[in-house]
Amino acid sequence: MTTRRLPLTGVRVLELGNYIAAPTAGRMLADFGAEVIKVERPGTGDELRNWRLKAGTTSMLYRTINRNKKSVTLDLRSEAGRDAVLELVRRSDIVLENFRPGTLEKWGIGPEVLDEVNPEIILVRISAFGQTGPLSARPGFAAVAEGYSGFRELVGDPDRPPVRVGISIGDSIAGMQAAFGAVMMLFDRQRQRIHGAAEAVTGKDIGSDEPLADRTVDVALNEAMFSVMESLVPDYSAFGEVRTRTGGRMEGIAPSNGYLCAGGKSVVIAGNGDGIFTRLMTAIGRPNLGEDPDLQTNAGRWERRDELDEAIGAWCAVRDVDDVVAVLEDAGVPAGPIYTAEDLVTDEQLRARNMIQELDVSTGEEILADVAFPGITPVIGGASIPIDHLGPDLGEHTAEVLAWLGLSDPEDDEVGDDGTASADEEPTGE
């Protein structure tokens, strides 16, 4: 547990939503001091509790993504649940949700209601395709959004169907954008308050109240992924270029790939800088390639990428990964091993920056000691901030929060302990 003052201390966030996208945004805010109150369905809670469940009742995935939060169980469709949520909105700075557009409105807690309850509330909404446009009402997980963004078309080998990466990258990127949007709006709200104080003193019209629409962060999963597609669209628009899958390579950049080493582990080598390329070819005993006039630019090297990868691959194949990395480090060539989970938990660099943090964790049935979890990023103060606590048990903080609100006992059936969300109320994300 950290004793330092964190940047978002004093900020309260109401998190409505399941899976990964909105909870990732909530986790990032909670990591840096915000009080994040996560509302879950009574009985079942966030479905992430059961994803990749190896033992017990609560997965490590849930414990990781929902760390540093409080869990409250409420039925958002019940009158008591609605009243509790609105009372939380009254006392919060940010509402974070990732339901299908129109769901909050159906429950009677749409933007107009939230604005009436708290005229300064910041609303952050994550959905498959955004709150407006012809596809806005369509449900969708990040896997679908990755396809719509152009991202999935570029992942995999050119002679095989597109594949997905091994994490929910669309949800995670959308969550990061949502967290950034929330902090951006907090900054703007504070600036408006300062301007308002200055206006009261000077009489000058410096700042003014803004409608909720201008305090709403609208994150679409497909747009979040589209935003990281670099020059995919400009290259097509300007030159008619349609990029295709290139496996472990990056279009137009060579040599840069993963190579199998002796012993079965692999290495990433990025020798695509002009000067770096010459040093790489010297290090692998192929100075002739380093001096070849046709290979002095990326464009030329890309044309002969197969030849270069064959030469580098043959050199790596008879050396173990540590030897390869050591030789290339001495030569000033960017290279590094492709880590497994086993490598990550023992990595000296991660350990030095407190990026591997070991905590006792409950599976819901037993306590596992010293389980390694990823630290908090970005780093401030030279090392990762200590994790305060892992994702809470279902409803762990219901009694505490409702008592603070002055509402009925959490065991009261009116609060909605038997409620479940129907299929058309599924959150967006996976």
Side-chain angles (χ1 to χ4, degrees), residues 90-142:
R90 191 185 316 278
R91 307 184 191 205
S92 296
D93 299 285
I94 298 165
V95 171
L96 175 62
E97 65 101 357
N98 67 327
F99 291 100
R100 189 192 304 188
T103 300
L104 292 188
E105 289 83 348
K106 180 170 60 176
W107 287 336
I109 50 176
E112 293 79 8
V113 176
L114 302 183
D115 194 31
E116 182 178 354
V117 169
N118 184 348
E120 289 194 328
I121 198 70
I122 293 165
L123 179 59
V124 181
R125 315 192 78 174
I126 305 176
S127 60
F129 300 101
Q131 302 296 315
T132 60
L135 298 183
S136 60
R138 183 180 296 185
F141 278 169

Side-chain angles (χ1 to χ4, degrees), residues 55-94:
T57 58
T58 303
S59 69
M60 295 297 171
L61 181 59
Y62 177 90
R63 298 292 191 195
T64 302
I65 291 181
N66 292 286
R67 67 190 183 196
N68 296 331
K69 302 178 187 177
K70 296 179 177 179
S71 171
V72 173
T73 53
L74 294 171
D75 182 355
L76 298 183
R77 298 169 301 168
S78 72
E79 182 177 353
R82 178 180 181 273
D83 290 346
V85 163
L86 292 180
E87 190 58 40
L88 283 168
V89 170
R90 191 185 316 278
R91 307 184 191 205
S92 296
D93 299 285
I94 298 165

